[in-house]
Amino acid sequence: MNHPITDRRTFLRWSGAAAAAVVAGIPRRNEPSFAAESELARFPEKTDLILLTDRPPNLETPIKFFKEDLTPNDAFFVRWHLGVIPTSIDPATFRLSLGGHVESPLSLSLDELRKNFEPASVVAVCQCSGNSRSFYEPRVPGGQWGHGAVGNAKWTGVRLSDLFKKAKIKGGPVDVSLKGLDRAPMPTTPDFVKALSFDHANDGEVIVAYAMNDKPLPMLNGYPLRLIVPGWYATYWVKSLSEINVLPQAFKGFWMDKGYRVPDNPDCQELPTELAKQTVPISRMTVRSLFTTPTAGERISAGQQVDVQGVAFDEGKGIKQVEVSIDGGHQWSAADLDAEIGRYSWRRWRFGWTPGNRGQFTLMVRATNLAGRTQAERQWNRGGYARNVIESVEVSVV
């Protein structure tokens, strides 16, 4: 199956134009500290998304698209780390290599992956580790994402464990390293290489995906192959995956040993004046819930019911309940939950509210999972990672 974009010059021409082609300006944040407005831009295979950077492309999904169970491919957020991303891949010559601590190294074409292995699918949330970083106070460095660096999709591909069986793993495997086709303009910048323990990589849930919502992966979301690590932050979901290596020892590399590390406690919590002494690589997602409606600053008519909605998700334990407050957190009421569509999917929630009085209202939402984990009243860490704060939205009743 050919990918729609195979001409590098066409892609670069489109993406360069997208950087300049601002479609609209929208208020970026609810806080007064954000005076700038966001830009919406359109890149190849994408609808109008919120532009963070153009080289490499980092694009945020507007919240309106989270009203759907599955986030459309053209609206799915984009996150790249290194400046040179793959823009021209020949599906006929592309090969995925699997080597290292194996008896039979593999070099697999896309056709071989589709035809020679049992397909596996999972509906799973993909969330950037720094999603919602712009709301941390005090501010921290890094991409200033709103709430839109997340999406929910059906991923289809080959179980990594099936590839291991084909390659015949030698005794004593420890870690698995994973590398994509992106690279840095400067040779001194470390390649983006992530690692999982072999036991995790071999658990039957980690997938090498070639399809997203039953269509080929968009180029900007990792065509032709992307690693899917359900329940874990997207830093492990390596895009344009090309190299898999099984290691008989622990992996050492910048993006595990230095980058993407969080305080060694369940809530990834520390204080600006008291930084955590022990850090660990970020891994499983925390419990979260977000509003899809109403939106910040929306004007609502008194006496008319408002369908307050949103999504909730976690690492895969399952959402037990979602509660909504309409008075800034003084009182909480249970929201209705839609049926589950997968343990790693987000779960939609709904709450009917008929405001009787006019004025300003602060709506809040918090989720609790089946393991008893819930959202925190406040949170901060130096990386702006793994946010799980109770979210709020202010509306006007007129």
Side-chain angles (χ1 to χ4, degrees):
M1 183 182 298
N2 290 334
H3 195 274
I5 295 178
T6 56
D7 185 292
R8 176 179 173 82
R9 276 183 279 185
T10 297
F11 185 96
L12 292 177
R13 183 172 68 249
W14 286 0
S15 59
V22 176
V23 182
I26 58 174
R28 182 54 192 266
R29 297 292 176 261
N30 204 17
E31 296 91 350
S33 58
F34 289 89
E37 289 189 337
S38 295
E39 296 176 349
L40 293 180
R42 182 172 295 184
F43 278 67
E45 302 179 286
K46 293 293 179 181
T47 187
D48 302 336
L49 300 180
I50 300 169
L51 178 68
L52 268 72
T53 63
D54 62 328
R55 294 189 179 181
N58 286 297
L59 309 169
E60 181 176 332
T61 303
I63 294 294
K64 65 181 180 181
F65 291 104
F66 297 161
K67 296 177 183 179
E68 303 181 42
D69 287 338
L70 300 181
T71 310
N73 288 9
D74 66 348
F76 212 92
F77 83 97
V78 173
R79 170 70 170 115
W80 291 89
H81 298 82
L82 304 181
V84 182
I85 67 172
T87 57
S88 180
I89 297 172
D90 185 347
T93 60
F94 173 85
R95 295 294 184 272
L96 172 68
S97 69
L98 195 164
H101 197 61
V102 303
E103 295 181 5
S104 302
L106 304 179
S107 179
L108 298 166
S109 69
L110 295 177
D111 281 344
E112 288 172 324
L113 287 167
R114 293 191 188 98
K115 295 176 181 178
N116 298 345
F117 297 89
E118 179 186 26
S121 295
V122 63
V123 177
V125 170
C126 175
Q127 180 182 207
C128 176
S129 305
N131 191 28
S132 309
R133 180 183 284 123
S134 64
F135 296 100
Y136 275 83
E137 290 292 343
R139 297 281 294 280
V140 297
Q144 297 301 303
W145 297 99
H147 293 316
V150 62
N152 194 45
K154 176 188 175 185
W155 311 92
T156 301
V158 178
R159 296 179 186 89
L160 189 50
S161 58
D162 288 346
L163 299 183
F164 290 154
K165 290 177 185 177
K166 182 75 172 178
K168 299 177 183 177
I169 308 300
K170 294 180 180 179
V174 176
D175 278 354
V176 177
S177 67
L178 307 130
K179 183 177 182 296
L181 293 173
D182 52 327
R183 58 186 177 85
M186 301 297 292
T188 53
T189 302
D191 289 338
F192 189 77
V193 184
K194 298 295 292 188
L196 297 172
S197 71
F198 178 81
D199 288 345
H200 183 188
N202 194 43
D203 67 3
E205 293 192 326
V206 178
I207 292 175
V208 176
Y210 45 71
M212 177 178 174
N213 292 330
D214 297 322
K215 297 179 181 178
L217 292 161
M219 183 71 75
L220 290 177
N221 291 115
Y223 178 84
L225 299 173
R226 182 172 193 170
L227 194 74
I228 306 303
V229 189
W232 282 44
Y233 282 101
T235 179
Y236 295 93
W237 296 41
V238 176
K239 295 177 290 296
S240 298
L241 179 67
S242 61
E243 298 177 27
I244 303 171
N245 280 291
V246 181
L247 307 172
Q249 71 281 331
F251 173 80
K252 297 294 182 183
F254 174 83
W255 298 100
M256 295 295 295
D257 299 339
K258 300 293 184 181
Y260 284 101
R261 297 183 70 87
V262 293
D264 188 11
N265 61 65
D267 292 322
C268 301
Q269 180 78 270
E270 61 186 343
L271 298 173
T273 56
E274 190 176 339
L275 298 181
K277 295 181 174 59
Q278 298 293 326
T279 64
V280 294
I282 196 170
S283 57
R284 295 176 178 84
M285 290 194 294
T286 53
V287 183
R288 292 212 68 184
S289 55
L290 298 172
F291 287 98
T292 58
T293 54
T295 57
E298 187 169 334
R299 294 167 65 85
I300 296 169
S301 298
Q304 295 186 9
Q305 180 167 308
V306 179
D307 191 12
V308 182
Q309 295 187 33
V311 294
F313 51 92
D314 71 342
E315 65 183 87
K317 299 294 185 183
I319 297 299
K320 178 182 179 181
Q321 68 176 7
V322 172
E323 299 168 286
V324 174
S325 172
I326 61 172
D327 59 5
H330 295 289
Q331 295 180 318
W332 294 87
S333 300
D336 294 325
L337 296 175
D338 283 9
E340 283 188 332
I341 58 175
R343 60 178 292 203
Y344 294 112
S345 169
W346 61 31
R347 194 168 182 185
R348 303 193 59 74
W349 57 264
R350 305 170 191 273
F351 181 80
W353 172 47
T354 304
N357 300 318
R358 294 177 173 83
Q360 296 294 118
F361 288 80
T362 299
L363 278 58
M364 303 177 72
V365 62
R366 67 185 180 194
T368 303
N369 70 4
L370 290 170
R373 302 290 300 170
T374 191
Q375 294 179 252
E377 293 185 5
R378 60 184 62 86
Q379 180 203 30
W380 188 91
N381 60 67
R382 73 192 88 172
Y385 293 137
R387 181 176 171 92
N388 76 331
V389 173
I390 295 171
E391 301 296 351
S392 62
V393 60
E394 293 187 4
V395 298
S396 300
V397 177
V398 296

